[in-house]
Amino acid sequence: MDKIPLMVIEAIRSVAFLLEEDVTSRIATIVTSHISDLASKEITSHVIRAIAPHVANILTTSEALHENVEEIKKLHSSLSSNPNADDIDISIGRVEEATDAVLSSLEDVKNVVTLLNPSLEATQECINNLISKTTELPPPPPHSAEPNTATTSIIQRSD
């Protein structure tokens, strides 16, 4: 080792240091990408499972609301074509029932949205945290003044 100039030894150490840092950076990028891909699939699956019952409830309520609106349209046309007093009282009762059903449906939709909102917000917050954690690069490992074993073995072989 006495025959190798100090400048050559330092150059070899510098190259080894740069190669080690490059490999560490590549590994960190690959791991981050892999974790991000896996997490995205898992989060998507959980969100779909959490939202599905609420979406089904909204769909059912929407269908009931549509039926109630159609009933109101029928009552309206019945009222305009038959102006009897008895028929008007019956029709008014039907309109009140249909209106109550529409109101109930709207309240159901509001309740479902109210129940679903905190879950969606919490899920979004978890997704944001996960993305920020996976995109952060880990701090570089502390480098010592000692050469690594690969550098030492290269230097020793040249003796």
Side-chain angles (χ1 to χ4, degrees):
M1 206 144 134
D2 294 337
K3 296 179 184 178
I4 300 173
L6 181 61
M7 187 181 289
V8 172
I9 293 172
E10 292 299 320
I12 292 172
R13 286 181 179 165
S14 297
V15 168
F17 174 78
L18 291 173
L19 289 174
E20 182 179 328
E21 190 164 309
D22 183 53
V23 168
T24 303
S25 176
R26 286 184 190 171
I27 290 172
T29 302
I30 291 169
V31 168
T32 299
S33 174
H34 183 69
I35 289 173
S36 183
D37 290 344
L38 288 176
S40 294
K41 291 175 186 174
E42 283 294 316
I43 290 170
T44 301
S45 174
H46 288 294
V47 167
I48 289 172
R49 274 189 258 139
I51 293 175
H54 299 294
V55 171
N57 194 2
I58 288 174
L59 181 61
T60 303
T61 304
S62 174
E63 290 171 354
L65 181 62
H66 179 69
E67 291 170 4
N68 291 336
V69 168
E70 290 301 318
E71 182 68 25
I72 290 173
K73 286 180 183 178
K74 288 178 188 176
L75 289 173
H76 183 319
S77 66
S78 140
L79 277 175
S80 61
S81 66
N82 195 1
N84 276 338
D86 290 337
D87 289 340
I88 290 176
D89 288 339
I90 292 170
S91 295
I92 289 174
R94 287 182 183 167
V95 168
E96 288 175 351
E97 289 173 8
T99 304
D100 289 342
V102 168
L103 179 62
S104 175
S105 297
L106 289 174
E107 288 174 352
D108 289 346
V109 168
K110 179 185 172 199
N111 290 338
V112 168
V113 170
T114 302
L115 288 173
L116 187 58
N117 195 29
S119 175
L120 289 175
E121 288 175 357
T123 302
Q124 184 63 49
E125 186 177 321
C126 289
I127 290 170
N128 292 342
N129 288 338
L130 184 61
I131 288 173
S132 68
K133 286 180 183 177
T134 57
T135 55
E136 290 176 1
L137 289 178
H143 296 287
S144 64
E146 296 292 321
N148 65 20
T149 56
T151 308
T152 306
S153 64
I154 292 172
I155 293 171
Q156 288 174 351
R157 286 185 196 151
S158 63
D159 284 343

